[in-house]
Amino acid sequence: MGPSPCFVVHDPLEPAEKHTDVTTTTRADDIVVRLRDIGKNFPGVIANHDVNIDVAKGTVHAIVGENGAGKSTLMKTLYGVQKPDSGTIEIHGRTVTLSSPADAINAGVGMVFQHFMLADNLTVLENVVLGAEKLHGIGAGARKEITRLSDAYGLAIDPDVLVEELGVGSRQRIEILKVLYRGASIIILDEPTAVLVPQEVDELFANLRDLKAEGLAVIFISHKLDEVLSVADTVTVIRRGTTVDTVEADSVDSRRLAEMMVGAELPSPSTESSTVTDDVALEIRDLRLEAAGRELCADINLTIHRGEILGIAGVEGNGQAELVESIMGMRSGVTGSVVLGGRDMAGSSTRERRDSGIGYIPEDRHRHGLLLDSPLWENRILGHQTTGDAGRRIFIDRARAREETQAIVEKYDVRTPGIDTLARALSGGNQQKLIIGREMSGDPVLLIAAHPTRGVDVGAQAAIWGHIKQARRDGLAVLLISADLDELIGLSDTIEVILRGRLVGTFDPATVTPEQLGTAMTGAGDAA
Amino acid sequence: MSDARLKRVALAIGAPALALIIAFAITSLVLILAGDSVIGVWQQILSVPDVRGVTNILNAATVYYLSAVSVAIGFRMNLFNIGVDGQYRIASFVAAIVAGEAWLPGYLNTLLALVAAVLVGALWAGIAGLLRVTRGVSEVISTIMLNAIATAIVAYLLRKAAVDAEGSNITATKDIPEGSWIPGFSLGSDAPNDVYGFIVVAVVVGFVYWLVINRTRFGFDLRASGASESAAIASGIDVKRMVLVSMLLSGAVAGLVGMPILFGDAHNYGSTFQSGLGFAGIAIALLGRNHPVGIALGALLFAFLDEQANPLQILLDVSPDIVKITQGVIVLTVVIAYEVVRRYGVRLEQSLVASALADDDTDDKGAEVKV
């Protein structure tokens, strides 16, 4: 990793002019990105203010902060998606105005988004040249350039395979290559490890070190602090829209960083004494899901007792979502039995299953959990039209629904000005707390929690973990699907690993390590 | 909070008002380019109508209203029922035959014909609904095609069912017996014409529409399906069933569109029966934001413009079609204005939430910090 040539401490309380004095050993021309006093206002909200960051060439510069702290707003500014209201951006020593991503690319700034933008049915070469045909053509010239870049940065990319044949790690490397191909010397990576298993993360980090060695600057956005510390040279912490501090990675530990992010100690998931009973709440036998001739899930057998949290680990896209939707009755083509509290649910509609006591925290709360343009109290009714008292009859009892919503808002600490606020206006964490409150209010037998803390900030994460643990103590059976292995290990009583639609191994969270899970998730070793 | 709500109400009224002003400005521009008298045209259109005019406006608005409510039912769940035109024409034709045959006496005959109209309208729209849920055919495509088919069927059958009136080349169904007509009422002793009695039915339809959509579980399911199909499915709503049912309901109301004319004015279905009401309904539903009162205002506005433009040809030698331009532009400007206001509203909410949270944070942050 080596010491960073750039080490600037920004104290938000100090005036900005001071920064030039603080710069110590760094030669001015090493700084490739210099952000000064960047501010961006949205009506009534300050998304960014007084942001000061110096990124030096040949370094990995991490930017960490809670969700909603202003990281994405800042990166959108640097990538030309939106103009700052105040402050200056200097790239390679020149003050620039970035009005569009095209400007940013011309200035040498490239961005790799969390969600890949690749066409599956095209080859690597075709994906890379798409939109950049003028640079090296679309034939031999382009192939030569791709091979050259791939070799120079150790990306190991074959330009002629179809993207659909590639795994997540390779796809990410193609995205990086796309950016390099367009001549970027400053690469922004937005939460690049969110979709990777531990082994792939290691590979990515090796690639980043290669990029760094070639003199590129990498801006690495994340809230996984251990990863940040292992790959970054310099870390800038953002809190509530502004840069709080910039530190050298080897001078801090993750706990200290977390404290800087939230101003409080980081909570962690941890299991307490077992509450698992002998009562079977959910029993799944030989569940199989087929769609359009493809087998999406097969041979799924699992039992969850009251008071037990069963965790499902797996790389995204290995059948977790399909399994959940099969249990919820949202899929056709399901065979096998799903027995909930002694009642076989096969053939029942989603509504019947919900009425029988399944609470559902969906993976994608915007698509499956909320009516974004409806007020909170209407969202309280969603999924419970026939359960709670709010809507058992023909007419919806609006007064009752509003009371219940108010109760959820208070009990689950949903931060909102009122229950007439549109769901869209809330932050992710507060939306999720509302959903959890709603699903728990129906006195469920089984709670299905798919990625319950995805995209929520540290504070809300702790609260959500608390609610899941409370549910377990109250005797609920919980099916927990998560991509966060620490969360799975911390909360579950049993962990099952899913790979290509099949359960391939059972692990005891008390003894398993993330690496062992990662191996099972990729099918690399023999699963237990 | 109440301040913000006041702001929201102001926006809700301000947006269509602004859209109207812009539409009037664009119409004026067209008039100037065509070399017509801008002031003269607006003086006529914006003059106060006489009793006869008011009656005509109310009558036209009644028909528009039913058409727009029919479209709005589909809109509430993201269905684009472009087929109201075909649905009301085929329904009106069938109702005219049933009422003309007079199998039942007096108002029983009327009732039977109305039921027939509702059923035929629902059936015709139901074809589109069924195609959508079983075969995934877009209702936009299928309703447009069904419009063409309805036109052809009605034209074909009209030849068969028509009675030849002496000395006239108008083709029409048998006249409805006078005992089955729906009587109107006049707006004053000096009024030369009557307001359709059917206006009462239109008001009732509007109220039932509001009640079902906003207050019932069914209405909630319908709105949820329209707001987010994926969330609706996850919440246990049978979205396919909702598509079919709302298409049927939309068609049922569409079946009523021609009834005020049939029972209050024309008394038969002929080749001159008013057409194009379904398309006006789409515009008015957009203008009224699918809200029963908004739609009523929109229907009155469109009817007002139609009525006031009628004398333009005689008075100023300007084609009354100029208001069609106004109406078309209104739809465009209104759609834009609503979207702008919607985005502004969301931002307003977000800033409210942010400021509420900022207050929260400063209150309790101090206690949390334990570095």
Side-chain angles (χ1 to χ4, degrees):
Chain A
M1 213 178 290
S4 159
C6 163
F7 177 34
V8 186
V9 177
H10 301 298
D11 189 331
L13 300 174
E14 295 292 324
E17 296 81 66
K18 211 176 161 195
H19 299 296
T20 43
D21 310 332
V22 184
T23 310
T24 51
T25 57
T26 311
R27 288 200 351 261
D29 55 338
D30 276 350
I31 304 295
V32 288
V33 177
R34 190 192 299 273
L35 301 179
R36 279 291 169 268
D37 304 324
I38 297 290
K40 177 75 190 172
N41 285 284
F42 294 110
V45 198
I46 297 173
N48 281 142
H49 64 96
D50 302 318
V51 171
N52 292 288
I53 296 175
D54 288 348
V55 182
K57 67 189 255 192
T59 64
V60 174
H61 191 120
I63 294 177
V64 299
E66 285 192 282
N67 275 88
K71 286 174 298 181
S72 4
T73 308
L74 179 60
M75 287 309 116
K76 280 184 190 163
T77 306
L78 185 54
Y79 193 53
V81 176
Q82 62 199 11
K83 274 191 185 175
D85 297 332
S86 59
T88 55
I89 303 172
E90 269 180 48
I91 293 174
H92 295 305
R94 280 200 354 245
T95 304
V96 291
T97 309
L98 304 175
S99 310
S100 70
D103 287 354
I105 291 166
N106 287 336
V109 178
M111 182 143 175
V112 174
F113 291 92
Q114 197 176 347
H115 301 283
F116 303 148
M117 298 174 185
L118 297 170
D120 276 1
N121 54 347
L122 299 182
T123 64
V124 172
L125 172 79
E126 287 163 340
N127 267 289
V128 172
V129 299
L130 194 64
E133 297 85 354
K134 284 180 188 161
L135 293 177
H136 305 280
I138 57 168
R143 182 174 290 106
K144 211 173 122 198
E145 176 67 8
I146 290 172
T147 313
R148 187 188 73 75
L149 288 169
S150 175
D151 292 345
Y153 298 104
L155 295 173
I157 286 173
D158 176 355
D160 294 310
V161 291
L162 284 176
V163 167
E164 67 187 1
E165 290 165 14
L166 297 175
V168 179
S170 309
R171 287 169 189 236
Q172 192 166 49
R173 290 200 297 278
I174 299 171
E175 289 282 8
I176 294 172
L177 193 124
K178 268 167 70 178
V179 169
L180 293 171
Y181 189 84
R182 285 156 176 76
S185 58
I186 299 151
I187 301 178
I188 308 170
L189 295 161
D190 184 13
E191 307 250 354
T193 61
V195 290
L196 304 178
V197 295
Q199 286 84 345
E200 289 173 322
V201 170
D202 291 340
E203 284 173 29
L204 171 69
F205 286 179
N207 293 142
L208 296 188
R209 289 187 188 107
D210 286 341
L211 294 174
K212 184 171 93 172
E214 296 294 322
L216 272 68
V218 177
I219 300 176
F220 182 91
I221 303 165
S222 183
H223 52 219
K224 292 188 181 168
L225 301 177
D226 290 328
E227 291 174 0
V228 163
L229 289 175
S230 76
V231 72
D233 302 302
T234 316
V235 183
T236 297
V237 178
I238 292 193
R239 186 167 82 214
R240 302 177 73 175
T242 191
T243 40
V244 176
D245 210 346
T246 298
V247 294
E248 269 188 290
D250 47 15
S251 70
V252 287
D253 59 11
S254 58
R255 191 145 285 270
R256 175 75 196 115
L257 272 185
E259 285 165 11
M260 285 158 70
M261 270 164 67
V262 294
E265 270 187 58
L266 183 71
S268 65
S270 60
T271 24
E272 297 133 15
S273 55
S274 173
T275 57
V276 181
T277 63
D278 291 335
D279 273 356
V280 173
L282 176 77
E283 179 154 26
I284 295 176
R285 285 285 159 261
D286 301 323
L287 185 138
R288 185 170 180 280
L289 168 67
E290 197 186 286
R294 275 180 60 215
E295 193 178 71
L296 298 171
C297 292
D299 302 331
I300 306 272
N301 287 289
L302 51 85
T303 305
I304 312 180
H305 301 89
R306 285 167 49 82
E308 178 181 6
I309 299 180
L310 179 88
I312 304 250
V315 179
E316 279 201 76
N318 272 284
Q320 299 94 318
E322 290 77 8
L323 172 61
V324 168
E325 288 174 8
S326 302
I327 299 172
M328 287 303 297
M330 291 159 65
R331 286 279 190 160
S332 57
V334 180
T335 55
S337 70
V338 175
V339 180
L340 181 75
R343 268 183 63 195
D344 193 352
M345 289 278 120
S348 308
S349 68
T350 305
R351 180 162 280 170
E352 284 162 345
R353 291 177 199 226
R354 277 182 168 277
D355 290 352
S356 307
I358 303 184
Y360 177 35
I361 303 168
E363 172 180 346
D364 184 337
R365 57 180 162 267
H366 287 179
R367 285 193 64 229
H368 292 119
L370 293 168
L371 303 174
L372 288 172
D373 291 313
S374 299
L376 299 189
W377 67 268
E378 286 202 330
N379 275 289
R380 157 71 187 92
I381 303 169
L382 187 71
H384 299 265
Q385 293 97 317
T386 47
T387 54
D389 291 313
R392 197 182 290 280
R393 296 164 296 271
I394 293 173
F395 289 98
I396 283 183
D397 187 343
R398 290 153 63 100
R400 184 75 183 240
R402 295 178 66 91
E403 273 168 33
E404 290 171 351
T405 312
Q406 194 59 48
I408 290 171
V409 165
E410 280 159 22
K411 188 173 170 197
Y412 288 84
D413 187 31
V414 181
R415 307 277 179 89
T416 170
I419 57 171
D420 289 305
T421 302
L422 302 184
R424 186 186 291 284
L426 296 193
S427 71
N430 286 307
Q431 290 175 343
Q432 193 74 331
K433 285 191 276 188
L434 178 79
I435 292 176
I436 292 174
R438 174 180 80 193
E439 298 306 319
M440 296 299 291
S441 69
D443 285 330
V445 182
L446 167 73
L447 180 68
I448 300 178
H451 306 282
T453 60
R454 170 178 287 175
V456 307
D457 59 59
V458 174
Q461 188 178 42
I464 290 166
W465 283 336
H467 293 311
I468 291 176
K469 283 191 240 176
Q470 183 59 45
R472 171 177 174 266
R473 280 197 292 276
D474 293 345
L476 256 76
V478 179
L479 178 65
L480 173 69
I481 288 100
S482 179
D484 181 340
L485 298 184
D486 292 332
E487 175 175 271
L488 279 172
I489 293 171
L491 288 176
S492 307
D493 295 295
T494 314
I495 295 179
E496 296 274 356
V497 172
I498 192 166
L499 176 67
R500 293 183 210 102
R502 288 162 195 267
L503 297 181
V504 294
T506 309
F507 294 87
D508 180 355
T511 56
V512 76
T513 65
E515 283 67 32
Q516 287 171 318
L517 282 180
T519 305
M521 282 157 65
T522 49
D526 282 334
Chain B
M1 190 64 213
S2 68
D3 196 37
R5 192 170 288 175
L6 205 69
K7 222 167 177 175
R8 243 173 282 169
V9 172
L11 284 174
I13 298 167
L18 185 72
L20 273 186
I21 291 168
I22 295 172
F24 282 7
I26 291 175
T27 310
S28 303
L29 201 67
V30 173
L31 287 171
I32 291 168
L33 289 176
D36 285 322
S37 156
V38 178
I39 293 169
V41 167
W42 288 122
Q43 262 175 354
Q44 165 54 31
I45 289 182
L46 298 178
S47 64
V48 179
D50 57 9
V51 176
R52 186 176 160 282
V54 170
T55 305
N56 283 341
I57 290 168
L58 285 177
N59 285 346
T62 302
V63 177
Y64 281 156
Y65 186 71
L66 288 167
S67 172
V69 168
S70 164
V71 175
I73 292 171
F75 275 161
R76 288 313 287 263
M77 72 162 297
N78 260 345
L79 284 174
F80 217 136
N81 182 7
I82 298 184
V84 172
D85 217 61
Q87 289 147 25
Y88 93 80
R89 274 198 275 171
I90 202 160
S92 302
F93 174 71
V94 172
I97 302 239
V98 170
E101 291 299 330
W103 290 306
L104 295 174
Y107 288 126
L108 284 178
N109 185 36
T110 316
L111 195 66
L112 182 71
L114 289 180
V115 169
V118 165
L119 287 180
V120 169
L123 197 74
W124 203 247
I127 298 172
L130 206 63
L131 285 171
R132 163 86 189 253
V133 296
T134 56
R135 284 283 166 267
V137 179
S138 162
E139 77 285 354
V140 176
I141 308 293
S142 57
T143 49
I144 288 175
M145 291 182 165
L146 284 166
N147 278 346
I149 296 171
T151 308
I153 288 182
V154 170
Y156 171 73
L157 291 179
L158 190 56
R159 300 290 307 174
K160 305 221 166 221
V163 286
D164 289 322
E166 289 293 327
S168 160
N169 52 6
I170 292 170
T171 324
T173 57
K174 213 183 279 180
D175 268 355
I176 301 169
E178 203 166 337
S180 299
W181 294 3
I182 297 176
F185 55 91
S186 68
L187 290 175
S189 49
D190 55 342
N193 51 355
D194 277 358
V195 177
Y196 294 148
F198 212 80
I199 197 171
V200 180
V201 178
V203 171
V204 170
V205 166
F207 176 76
V208 171
Y209 165 73
W210 170 82
L211 189 75
V212 169
I213 294 284
N214 290 309
R215 289 290 190 266
T216 66
R217 226 182 71 197
F218 171 81
F220 182 86
D221 285 1
L222 189 130
R223 283 185 292 131
S225 307
S228 168
E229 186 173 330
S230 49
I233 291 172
S235 83
I237 296 168
D238 185 345
V239 172
K240 284 188 170 180
R241 187 178 149 266
M242 295 306 297
V243 166
L244 188 58
V245 170
S246 49
M247 238 12 223
L248 288 172
L249 286 178
S250 178
V253 175
L256 291 175
V257 169
M259 296 304 102
I261 304 172
L262 184 65
F263 286 100
D265 183 21
H267 308 305
N268 62 31
Y269 187 98
S271 45
T272 55
F273 202 82
Q274 203 175 345
S275 63
L277 295 172
F279 300 112
I282 296 171
I284 293 163
L286 278 174
L287 183 61
R289 301 185 86 175
N290 304 324
H291 189 280
V293 177
I295 294 172
L297 295 175
L300 285 169
L301 175 70
F302 268 49
F304 173 83
L305 290 174
D306 284 346
E307 174 65 21
Q308 297 292 87
N310 268 335
L312 285 179
Q313 187 79 61
I314 303 159
L315 296 176
L316 297 159
D317 196 25
V318 173
S319 165
D321 285 332
I322 188 70
V323 298
K324 295 288 171 213
I325 297 175
T326 314
Q327 289 171 346
V329 174
I330 285 174
V331 173
L332 284 181
T333 52
V334 132
V335 167
I336 295 166
Y338 287 156
E339 181 59 21
V340 169
V341 164
R342 189 191 69 83
R343 289 185 193 175
Y344 179 77
V346 167
R347 285 227 298 277
L348 192 70
E349 289 265 343
Q350 275 166 341
S351 66
L352 266 176
V353 172
S355 64
L357 292 193
D359 293 349
D360 255 29
D361 268 8
T362 44
D363 289 348
D364 57 25
K365 209 74 193 179
E368 271 176 33
V369 180
K370 38 176 178 178
V371 179

